[in-house]
Amino acid sequence: MCGIVGIAGCKPVADRLVSALAQLEYRGYDSAGIATLDHGEIQRRRAPGKLVNLANKLTLDPLAGTIGIGHTRWATHGAPTELNAHPHATPRVAVVHNGIIENYRSLLVELAADGYLPLTQTDSEVVAMMATRWMDLGLSPVAAVQATVSKLQGAFALVFLFHGEEQMLVAARQGSPLAVGYGDGEMFLGSDALALSLFTDKVTYLEEGDWAVVTPGQAAIRSREGSNVNRVVHQTNASSNIVEKGPYRHFMLKEIHEQPDAVSRVVGRFVDRGARTLAVQDPLSFDFADLTRMTVSACGTAYLAGVVGKYWFERYARLPVDIDVGSEFRYRQPPLAPEGLALFISQSGETADTLAALRYCAANGQHIASVVNVEESTIARESKSVFPLRCGPEIGVASTKAFTTQLTTLACLSVVAGRARGVLDSDKVEELVTALETLPGAIANALLAEDEIAEIARSISKASDALFLGRGPLYPIALEGALKLKEISYIHAEGYAAGELKHGPIALVDETIPVIVIAPSDELSEKTVSNMQEVAARGGRIVLVTDPKGAEMHGGIAQQCIVLPEVHPFVAPIVAAIAVQLLAYHTAAHLGADVDQPRNLAKSVTVE
Ligand code: AGP
């Protein structure tokens, strides 16, 4: 998943292309490049690695021109080198691409037969080569794009820049998102509203199969079939305000410390303090009371929030929940219950696998709802009911505040559903409301354990493997702990249901492997402690994450203890998430890792 931009302007574009790419670097930082027209000639500058490398190159060797395109890359095909960096170009056309051209090999064979050979290892270059061949055969640039796009299979957002065409860009999308921005005598193209928010607050999102001829004065949008179409112009409030780290060393640490407020805002949106109950703000497109089943799909950390949600909906609303990762769900194509609700969880709202799962459920008669942070995202736009996180932009690739606000939103919804389905009486609702109200304070208290956690992280940073254990709704928190540690410290880690350890993974246990046991005092903690004993019996290095009562009773079994405030078991998974986030953060920080932009990752995964 890459970030792409285009400007059909009336004043120099190079610097503005780079600024827009800075807004998109969360999509990939393997390489970056721009191309402009200088007296009709295509000029390119590209650099491997982060955008700053390209910016430095342009300082030494600037580019002129009032029309241009740009790209920041997350490598799918071909190593992250300058050679494979976009824009891909021939003397006639330059192209930037986000997505995957699945039939690029067969197209390359066709092109080779006509003497067109690739210079790179990428799938994307085939687009520039095909457009060139069509123009060599006499087609106009616009006709060459139509002919090229009609042969492509897979996902793509494309912007084309043509030799000699100072007033025109051509764009096309299928699968990957692409937006048009309306300026004053200038037009803009970008992967999302965030990239365009530097230049305008009026954007149109191209729909599946749309393509557009963009000149400084206008955008002529066509459907796949070629007919002129009008798309809605949205007034976007995507803000281009550069988010600062403030006193924090990394965005991830800043976002960890933003969680008390972010969670408090979610609780505030659901809880009616006077009536001691909860309600959703906007009318729902479905009624929890009528639902027979709920299907949940998401990816990565968002998926794990969904797994915790399953425990809550089944316990507090007696609503059966099926949950699967988007990449499996979309091809598993499960039978869905009539009148079912399909809920999608996504920070970015652009994750391709989750979006595909949504479209499958929409095509199979489900009520579609989503929990998202980016309210103008494709997933939000294609949902009937949207529960926004409003936790602010999440810059760190490792999701933290989005995770705890996803959890808090699902916790609130499970109580709303429990009331609607007559499972929870007002006393129980009151009890759970009180538990939710304690959350912001409990999270703030948990953050006070940061120094101890940082000390424990120092010893974990010396390990090459780690295990996380939990039971019930703490099991997905164990999985999240392992995911966080893996993605930012590159230490191999696995999360397990504590009861599952003895069925194999316990073979891994010896004195070198830290075993993080998440066991706040609840109805299952004794069971988890028995599993902890089994680890201790094999000499495992135990880090116990618990509350004062748990520490007093079981602290002696562990080598190290992280003591979190005691809370109602309902909200304990949300507080425990803070401990595993800080553990991963400080382990990675000790190792000097690039915490905010870990290798091989990107913040929004818009390809399969
Ligand atoms: C989490 O830290 C990762 N960045 C990743 O697993 C992420 O949760 C996943 O890609 C889903 O992203 P989304 O919430 O934007 O859909």
Side-chain angles (χ1 to χ4, degrees):
M1 50 274 143
C2 309
I4 67 176
V5 290
I7 303 178
C10 55
K11 44 188 192 278
V13 293
D15 292 350
R16 293 186 291 162
L17 288 170
V18 173
S19 317
L21 288 177
Q23 303 275 68
L24 290 174
E25 204 172 17
Y26 71 93
R27 287 168 163 268
Y29 30 87
D30 286 330
S31 67
I34 66 169
T36 63
L37 282 192
D38 186 354
H39 297 88
E41 296 295 324
I42 292 173
Q43 302 289 329
R44 276 191 304 179
R45 299 285 181 275
R46 303 178 294 165
K50 302 207 174 162
L51 187 61
V52 63
N53 301 339
L54 174 67
N56 294 342
K57 201 170 198 176
L58 282 161
T59 307
L60 300 172
D61 190 5
L63 273 185
T66 59
I67 188 164
I69 57 178
H71 185 274
T72 181
R73 185 177 189 225
W74 187 80
T76 59
H77 297 68
T81 61
E82 180 173 341
L83 176 71
N84 290 331
H86 300 218
H88 293 294
T90 69
R92 306 198 72 160
V93 64
V95 176
V96 289
H97 169 226
N98 171 29
I100 293 178
I101 309 295
E102 288 166 4
N103 61 335
Y104 79 104
R105 286 193 193 83
S106 59
L107 294 172
L108 283 175
V109 172
E110 254 184 58
L111 286 158
D114 292 345
Y116 295 87
L117 299 175
L119 300 171
T120 76
Q121 293 108 29
T122 68
D123 57 323
S124 311
E125 186 191 6
V126 76
V127 179
M129 296 166 70
M130 290 181 71
T132 302
R133 180 180 62 172
W134 289 118
M135 288 190 283
D136 289 349
L137 292 169
L139 267 62
S140 73
V142 172
V145 169
Q146 266 191 293
T148 299
V149 166
S150 68
K151 298 270 288 191
L152 302 179
Q153 289 161 17
F156 52 82
L158 296 163
V159 184
F160 296 77
L161 173 73
F162 297 94
H163 175 275
E165 296 286 347
E166 296 277 4
Q167 299 290 310
M168 181 183 71
L169 295 173
V170 181
R173 80 147 291 186
Q174 178 179 292
S176 305
L178 191 58
V180 176
Y182 299 82
D184 182 10
E186 297 189 307
M187 293 295 290
F188 306 92
L189 287 155
S191 293
D192 60 28
L194 198 57
L196 302 178
S197 60
L198 288 164
F199 314 123
T200 176
D201 59 2
K202 289 186 190 51
V203 303
T204 287
Y205 298 98
L206 295 185
E207 297 189 12
E208 278 305 298
D210 281 0
W211 55 287
V213 177
V214 177
T215 61
Q218 61 152 16
I221 304 176
R222 315 252 174 91
S223 67
R224 195 189 304 278
E225 296 69 34
S227 50
N228 290 328
V229 288
N230 290 318
R231 299 297 184 211
V232 180
V233 178
H234 296 263
Q235 184 83 32
T236 168
N237 55 26
S239 107
S240 64
N241 300 343
I242 301 297
V243 183
E244 300 296 340
K245 270 185 253 178
Y248 297 96
R249 198 169 142 207
H250 295 103
F251 280 109
M252 181 182 178
L253 188 60
K254 173 176 175 278
E255 288 152 8
I256 288 174
H257 283 271
E258 286 176 351
Q259 295 179 103
D261 293 345
V263 164
S264 164
R265 289 196 297 273
V266 174
V267 173
R269 276 201 302 278
F270 281 93
V271 170
D272 175 339
R273 293 189 192 283
R276 312 300 303 146
T277 186
L278 292 101
V280 289
Q281 282 189 324
D282 307 323
L284 295 175
S285 60
F286 60 89
D287 185 341
F288 275 118
D290 303 336
L291 295 180
T292 53
R293 281 193 95 71
M294 180 157 89
T295 300
V296 177
S297 190
C299 302
T301 288
Y303 164 76
L304 296 174
V307 179
V308 179
K310 172 181 169 69
Y311 284 88
W312 287 330
F313 278 98
E314 291 185 343
R315 181 186 184 111
Y316 296 112
R318 305 311 288 157
L319 178 56
V321 176
D322 303 315
I323 182 163
D324 203 352
V325 291
S327 53
E328 285 301 313
F329 183 95
R330 62 184 296 177
Y331 294 115
R332 189 164 58 82
Q333 305 209 333
L336 299 169
E339 278 302 316
L341 170 66
L343 182 69
F344 301 90
I345 307 167
S346 176
Q347 188 285 129
S348 63
E350 297 293 351
T351 300
D353 290 323
T354 307
L355 181 57
L358 181 156
R359 289 177 174 161
Y360 172 79
C361 293
N364 287 276
Q366 302 295 289
H367 297 285
I368 304 295
S370 60
V371 176
V372 297
N373 194 31
V374 181
E375 294 179 54
E376 291 169 26
S377 61
T378 309
I379 287 176
R381 291 200 314 273
E382 298 192 11
S383 302
K384 288 274 182 311
S385 296
V386 177
F387 305 105
L389 300 179
R390 300 204 178 119
C391 64
E394 189 173 66
I395 308 295
V397 165
S399 185
T400 53
K401 61 179 181 176
F403 181 58
T404 49
T405 49
Q406 285 162 353
L407 290 173
T408 309
T409 302
L410 294 169
C412 293
L413 285 173
S414 70
V415 179
V416 170
R419 268 191 67 223
R421 297 167 68 81
V423 176
L424 301 175
D425 61 21
S426 54
D427 289 349
K428 189 66 184 175
V429 170
E430 157 95 27
E431 175 193 325
L432 300 175
V433 164
T434 307
L436 287 162
E437 287 175 329
T438 65
L439 254 184
I443 293 174
N445 282 338
L447 290 170
L448 298 176
E450 183 168 3
D451 293 348
E452 291 90 42
I453 295 175
E455 218 24 63
I456 294 171
R458 194 180 290 280
S459 62
I460 290 180
S461 67
K462 299 187 180 66
S464 57
D465 304 274
L467 288 178
F468 289 75
L469 305 179
R471 275 182 182 263
L474 281 306
Y475 162 43
I477 301 301
L479 294 170
E480 172 61 5
L483 174 60
K484 283 275 124 4
L485 192 65
K486 277 184 277 206
E487 65 178 320
I488 60 173
S489 75
Y490 317 143
I491 291 173
H492 173 243
E494 296 299 336
Y496 283 100
E500 191 56 18
L501 198 71
K502 54 188 172 293
H503 301 290
I506 197 166
L508 293 170
V509 172
D510 62 20
E511 61 293 340
T512 67
I513 190 167
V515 181
I516 295 95
V517 180
I518 306 170
S521 310
D522 64 15
E523 61 197 9
L524 292 173
S525 47
E526 284 305 324
K527 304 291 180 196
T528 309
V529 168
S530 310
N531 302 127
M532 186 164 72
Q533 292 276 24
E534 291 155 8
V535 171
R538 274 97 189 152
R541 258 175 50 205
I542 297 169
V543 177
L544 173 59
V545 179
T546 186
D547 47 37
K549 201 161 64 187
E552 197 187 321
M553 292 175 63
H554 312 300
I557 306 168
Q559 278 69 30
Q560 294 160 309
C561 228
I562 295 174
V563 183
L564 301 173
E566 182 164 355
V567 291
H568 189 290
F570 173 42
V571 295
I574 305 175
V575 178
I578 307 301
V580 297
Q581 292 168 353
L582 285 171
L583 212 52
Y585 171 78
H586 284 287
T587 302
H590 282 317
L591 293 167
D594 186 343
V595 170
D596 285 336
Q597 292 187 327
R599 70 185 186 201
N600 305 344
L601 292 182
K603 184 69 185 166
S604 173
V605 184
T606 56
V607 292
E608 285 199 51

